[in-house]
């Protein structure tokens, strides 16, 4: 079964992508993990309801009224937090595609991929917000009605319990739709340049034809996430203690120096908090990458036309689920926006070691590149097979 077999393949894909460890790659992925693995994937917003009837009730004797200034301040705070969350969720929707493209191309270009996926991100953001609102209305309405006795509904414990069970069922359905949208529909949007609903229509026949695979996927993901969540929490606790010790010691020593020392101690504490957040995000990088690769592998196994990572898949399975045997050049790692090896050479220098130094190029030729080959010739598929036995520089 693909849903089971892909568990091991996802480990190999994640290992091949993240090793050897490159600080720049991991730091950029940590930034993406802040959005892709955080609240932006559909964290439910604060429920709202009709407070009119409650507001119309006159306060009883001795009852204290809430000052209007406090109510206004609370409304402003809620509005600010809502706007903050919406901004975060919008960025997270764009970062979803940036992360997928990074796994697909095996190179991380945050700004380039963000600019190319703003439109898709906005559409995904709108779908997520609409999904939250619909799920909240459907799930919360019976609960609120049963508690307040609205519409002639008896507010007994049994009725409230049934309404709560209904709300749980709505939430589970919401969680499935939201996960499928992020893990399977978003890659289809990127691969075939579709909108959210169009990508869902493209994905739905694959789900119906392989429904057991996706049921097993959901069960395994939830179990593995629970287990990894416990392990990650313990690891973060240990890392937090290790990170905190030097910062706390320095902060206490500075605080003893007086007012200036107190200010410096506050700066040290803030720096320690940021260091812990960075460490926590770095821990999340392989976890988020693993689950994304798992979904991409399953999507390609159940429908070859929707395979975003065919080269990574072939390399993994050619070596029995491990790293590819022998040097293998993966043309899929080339940024999809350009068809010219010469474009954006600074990017290639950072990630793949391209240089413009003539002496370095001569060294490559002496090592077996060939005296008359140029960089664009090496990308000719007709010549690649003939070069494999002689050219191992890739």
């Amino acid at each position: 079964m693909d849903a089971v077999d892909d568990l091991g393949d996802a480990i190999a894909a994640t290992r091949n992508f993240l090793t050897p460890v490159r600080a720049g790659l991991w730091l950029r992925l940590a930034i993406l993990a802040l959005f892709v693995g955080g609240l932006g994937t559909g964290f439910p917003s604060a429920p709202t309801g009709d407070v009119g009837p409650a507001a119309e009730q006159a306060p009883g004797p001795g009852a204290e009224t809430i000052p209007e200034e406090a109510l206004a301040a609370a409304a402003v705070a809620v509005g600010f937090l809502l706007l903050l969350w919406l901004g975060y969720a919008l960025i997270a929707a764009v970062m979803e595609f940036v992360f997928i493209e990074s796994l697909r191309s095996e190179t991380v270009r945050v700004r380039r991929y963000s600019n190319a996926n703003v439109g898709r991100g906005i559409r995904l953001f709108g779908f997520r917000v609409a999904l939250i609102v619909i799920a909240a209305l459907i799930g919360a309405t019976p609960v609120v009605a049963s508690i307040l006795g609205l519409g002639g509904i008896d507010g007994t414990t049994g009725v409230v319990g049934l309404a709560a069970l209904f709300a749980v069922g709505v939430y589970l359905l919401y969680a499935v739709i939201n996960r499928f949208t992020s893990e399977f529909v978003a890659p289809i949007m990127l691969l075939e340049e579709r909108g959210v609903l169009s990508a869902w229509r493209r994905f739905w026949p694959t789900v119906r034809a392989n429904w057991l695979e996706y049921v097993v996927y959901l069960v395994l993901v939830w179990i593995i996430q629970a287990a990894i969540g416990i392990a990650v929490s313990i690891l973060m606790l240990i890392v937090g203690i290790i990170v905190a010790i030097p910062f706390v010691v320095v902060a206490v020593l500075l605080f003893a120096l007086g007012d200036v020392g107190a200010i410096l101690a506050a700066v040290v504490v803030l720096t320690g908090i940021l260091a812990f957040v960075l460490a926590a995000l770095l821990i999340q990088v392989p976890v988020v990458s693993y689950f994304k690769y798992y979904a991409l592998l399953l999507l390609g196994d159940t429908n070859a036309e929707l395979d975003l990572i065919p080269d990574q898949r072939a390399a993994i399975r050619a070596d029995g689920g491990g790293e590819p045997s022998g040097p293998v050049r993966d043309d899929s790692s080339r940024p999809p926006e350009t068809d010219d090896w010469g474009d954006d050479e600074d990017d290639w220098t950072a990630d793949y070691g391209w240089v413009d130094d003539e002496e370095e190029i001569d060294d490559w030729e002496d090592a077996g590149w060939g005296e008359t080959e140029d960089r664009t010739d090496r990308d000719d598929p007709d010549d690649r097979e003939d070069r494999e036995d002689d050219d191992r520089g890739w």
Side-chain angles (χ1 to χ4, degrees), residues 54-261:
E56 293 172 359
Q57 295 178 358
E64 295 183 0
T65 58
I66 302 177
E68 293 184 359
E69 294 80 2
L71 292 175
V76 171
V78 171
F80 175 76
L81 292 176
L82 179 60
L83 289 176
L84 188 64
W85 178 82
L86 289 174
Y88 173 87
L90 176 59
I91 297 175
V94 177
M95 294 299 106
E96 192 78 46
F97 295 100
V98 175
F99 200 92
I100 295 171
E101 186 61 72
S102 299
L103 298 182
R104 178 190 184 188
S105 63
E106 295 188 311
T107 181
V108 184
R109 288 285 172 261
V110 177
R111 185 173 59 182
R112 178 192 301 172
Y113 296 162
S114 297
N115 293 337
N117 290 285
V118 171
R120 296 187 189 95
I122 293 174
R123 289 191 288 270
L124 180 60
F125 164 76
F127 180 85
R128 285 174 170 175
V129 172
L131 184 63
I132 290 174
V133 172
I134 293 173
L137 290 176
I138 295 176
T141 299
V143 177
V144 175
S146 62
I147 293 175
L148 300 180
L150 302 178
I153 299 177
D154 186 9
T156 60
T157 304
V159 174
V160 174
L162 290 176
L165 288 176
F166 175 76
V168 171
V170 172
Y171 175 78
L172 291 176
L173 179 61
Y174 155 79
V176 171
I177 295 175
N178 183 66
R179 171 166 285 278
F180 276 21
T181 301
S182 300
E183 304 299 319
F184 301 111
V185 174
I188 296 175
M189 294 174 62
L190 181 62
L191 179 66
E192 299 187 348
E193 299 184 355
R194 294 174 177 264
V196 182
L197 298 181
S198 175
W200 257 109
R201 287 193 293 268
R202 181 74 169 90
F203 175 57
W204 186 244
T206 302
V207 176
R208 288 190 302 174
N210 303 273
W211 64 270
L212 184 58
E213 296 280 1
Y214 287 95
V215 169
V216 173
Y217 162 81
L218 286 174
V219 174
L220 291 176
V221 160
W222 284 338
I223 294 175
I224 296 173
Q225 275 189 331
I228 292 180
I230 296 174
V232 168
S233 299
I234 296 174
L235 182 58
M236 284 186 178
L237 177 61
I238 297 174
V239 171
I241 295 174
I242 295 175
V243 171
I245 289 175
F247 287 99
V248 170
V249 171
V250 174
V252 170
L253 294 176
L254 290 174
F255 188 80
L257 299 178
D259 294 339
V260 177

Side-chain angles (χ1 to χ4, degrees), residues 316-336:
I316 292 168
R317 294 174 181 175
D319 197 35
E323 295 185 2
S325 55
V328 176
R329 177 188 171 189
D330 184 6
D331 286 337
S332 68
S333 62
R334 197 176 75 188

Side-chain angles (χ1 to χ4, degrees), residues 318-319 323-330 352 354 363-370 373 378 383-394:
D319 197 35
E323 295 185 2
S325 55
V328 176
R329 177 188 171 189
D330 184 6
Y352 296 97
W354 291 115
D363 292 339
W364 287 350
E365 292 177 350
D366 293 339
W369 284 107
E373 271 189 337
R378 298 186 193 111
D383 297 336
R384 190 179 304 131
E385 184 176 356
D386 296 334
R387 292 195 306 271
E388 287 182 351
D389 293 333
D390 298 326
D391 180 6
R392 312 305 291 179
W394 292 103

